[in-house]
Amino acid sequence: MSKLLTKVAILLLSSAAMQSCKMSKVVPDGKYLLQKNKVKGNELVSKGSVLDQVNHRPNRKLLFFKFHLWAYRSGFKKIGEPPVILDSNLIEKSAKNISVYLFKKGFFYNDVGYTVKTRKHGKKAKVFYQVKEGPQFKIHSVEYRSINRSIQHILDSTRSASLIKKNNALDYDVLARERSRINDLMRENGYFIFNRSLIDYELDTTVTTNQVEVLVNILEDQRRKQHVYRIGRVLTEVETGMNIPDTVKSATAAYIMNGMRLNTNVLRRSTQLRKGEIFRQKNVSNTYERLISLDLFQSVDVRLTPREGTDSTLIDVYIRLVAAPRHDLIWEPQLVTTEQRFNEEISTRNYGLANEITLKNKNVFHNGEEFNVRLRTALETQFARDSNSLFSTFIQEVNTELKVPDLLFLPNLGNKVNSRTNSTRMSLSYLYERNQFYNRHLLPLTYSYEFVQKNATYYWTPMLISLNKASFHPDVLGELNEDYLEAQKRLFTNNLITSHRFSGVVTNRAKSPNNFYYLNSNFIELAGVFLPQITDYGDKLGVSHSTFVRTDIDVRYNTKVGAGQTMVYRFYGGIGVPIGDRSIIPFERRFFAGGSNRLRAWRLRTVGPGGFSNDSSAIQFSRSGDLGIAGNIEYRFDIIDAAVDLEGALFADAGNVWNLKKDTLFPEGDFDFSKFYNQFAVNTGFGLRVDFDFLLVRLDLGLPIIDPNEPAGKRWVFVHPWRTSWFREHAVWNLAVGYPF
């Protein structure tokens, strides 16, 4: 094996050397290919932040290979990029950019130089930027000054929120953020004509050595005196294509509906600009968002006009709304290529065809409600490594949902939790699924409240009732012994879930698109706790009333690591605890491992629980646990930037599921702190993604490294992966739509 690896290494190095020689042929004589930029001498600022100021950058790399330059050299000029030739003018500009950057970070006496090292053989050059930071100026004092007493009072009363802190390093980026903070603060306190240009900084460096006094001056607008403005007239007009004089007036606003049969209370609740109230910028933003979220209008335009006269302190509001069609019929033929969700329940399908029809009915009861009916028919197939695991699945779904743009029975709660938009959702669904193992019927009924905030959306579901009935096929029953059969019947068939749930999604992607987090969690679900008496009725109907507590969390972090390159990290964990002697976590709420979004070297529900091992196909569909843990890391990079983008990815996945209690039917399947870390399934792999803007198609190849379903001591399965026989037996292709996470 060592001889083979040596030969492979020699071959790779030889190929790289040959490619390097060929690359030099695209560089004109007397010129040099820019190979690398380096920084020396930095102490307080990072090398990465300095290199970000350099405009003269070498050709991009994919991992350790300059793919785009190679493509250009090979004749694929549309997808490649020409060689970056050393340019002294661009180097000089880059050095000046670095100096300006350091100056803005408080290094007023910095000095930046550079040297170039060339190598005639290969026609390559490296640029070394030599940085001398000098002393960094600290903030000695901060003073805010305005001739307007009201503005001065606001500034003094909010000093603790200032971003400019004594003894901190002077940073022009912080000064810019402070300017935005003051502007937002003024506009939230009624100063409608206030803007950023009225905020002026004076920096005095003559008082003490290497320190600066910061004076923040608030200037007066030369056209108008700064006043606290209030809302004057509020007029809302709906454009319907008709001109019908049906103006509706109230004490605070007027509405011209032009024939649209909509309760004006819906517009009143959505409009936070009310007559007599102080102007606040957030009320303008919230009005936009609430009116758009009604989904009743094609466009929303809010115009604010100060009354004429220099002493006037009133703003008139005109809101123009263009009505949207009341009915939408959407037909969506689908390629099913990944795990699907039905009413927040995870199904087991991987590949297939589906046909979906959705009918949207808006403003059905003239209070802004939306009633949707969705029909979906699918024929799906799950692929496996072995010949016994191919089976077809037929699914028929019917989903009805009524969305109300208000919190029914809780009208004041939205303002108390500071939500931008609120709604109530009621849904009733039915799903029929038939596959090789079982027939299943699901009838879920939900009643939920939705709270949309700036960076988060929360859901409170006070009522979720789900009736689930299933029956095994006779041939499956024949494969199971009596103990397994009884266990699967308790786990899988005929259960009633009555639960309360609080969940949410939190992200800062809008604020920081290059480095952002995403959190999706069912914070808590309590099932059967508040309605225990239903258990008796469930017994009479032949179903088990499930009682349990469940929670899960999915956390992701995306960070840009270079031009067209991103690292994505993900952690998923969840646990469900049954309550009562005869209760277990039902099939619909258990945790599963495998699949194209978590463990890409295993198909869904073929891993676990723990170190349990059994090859029976009848057991495969029931592999699940009370606890699940998964982790992923993925490096994504651009390959081709064109009308249709091509991306690549390298990834590693790990995870498994466990039972909380020991079970003789699933030996080694319980969670044990002393050994659970040895029971993770681990895989690596690589993939390609084709981005059509409206659709991203993904093809990932998963290669298992550690298989916990193998006996202890034989779980390392990444042995001779270059052999065709190993590849055929272990490699798993995943065709999917969208990113895995």
Side-chain angles (χ1 to χ4, degrees), residues 180-214:
S180 297
R181 186 193 72 85
I182 295 174
N183 180 73
D184 295 342
L185 178 65
M186 293 299 107
R187 292 182 65 83
E188 284 302 308
N189 282 273
Y191 290 92
F192 174 71
I193 65 171
F194 195 91
N195 59 75
R196 289 178 175 82
S197 65
L198 300 177
I199 305 171
D200 180 66
Y201 289 109
E202 291 184 23
L203 306 179
D204 188 352
T205 61
T206 63
V207 180
T208 54
T209 304
N210 299 334
Q211 291 195 329
V212 58
E213 292 185 345
V214 181

Side-chain angles (χ1 to χ4, degrees), residues 433-489:
E433 178 180 359
R434 183 182 73 242
N435 59 41
Q436 177 184 357
F437 300 121
Y438 55 80
N439 293 342
R440 187 164 65 130
H441 304 263
L442 276 74
L443 188 67
L445 171 67
T446 62
Y447 182 93
S448 300
Y449 294 113
E450 180 184 64
F451 309 88
V452 179
Q453 299 183 353
K454 184 177 181 180
N455 296 318
T457 300
Y458 298 103
Y459 304 91
W460 174 37
T461 304
M463 184 184 73
L464 189 157
I465 300 175
S466 180
L467 178 63
N468 313 303
K469 302 195 70 173
S471 58
F472 292 101
H473 291 179
D475 54 343
V476 176
L477 301 180
E479 292 187 39
L480 299 173
N481 61 43
E482 291 186 3
D483 291 335
Y484 270 118
L485 182 60
E486 184 61 29
Q488 298 314 307
K489 284 183 176 180

Side-chain angles (χ1 to χ4, degrees), residues 609-676:
F612 171 71
S613 178
N614 191 308
D615 295 330
S616 172
S617 61
I619 299 298
Q620 298 296 342
F621 77 93
S622 63
R623 288 180 179 268
S624 61
D626 304 316
L627 181 151
I629 301 175
N632 312 81
I633 181 171
E634 185 166 285
Y635 168 62
R636 300 170 184 169
F637 50 89
D638 293 341
I639 298 177
I640 300 175
D641 295 322
V644 177
D645 295 338
L646 179 64
E647 303 175 7
L650 298 176
F651 58 82
D653 310 319
N656 205 339
V657 295
W658 293 266
N659 292 321
L660 293 180
K661 297 180 181 179
K662 288 189 176 182
D663 190 334
T664 56
L665 298 177
F666 296 95
E668 298 295 318
D670 59 301
F671 184 82
D672 188 333
F673 272 105
S674 64
K675 59 183 179 182
F676 83 96

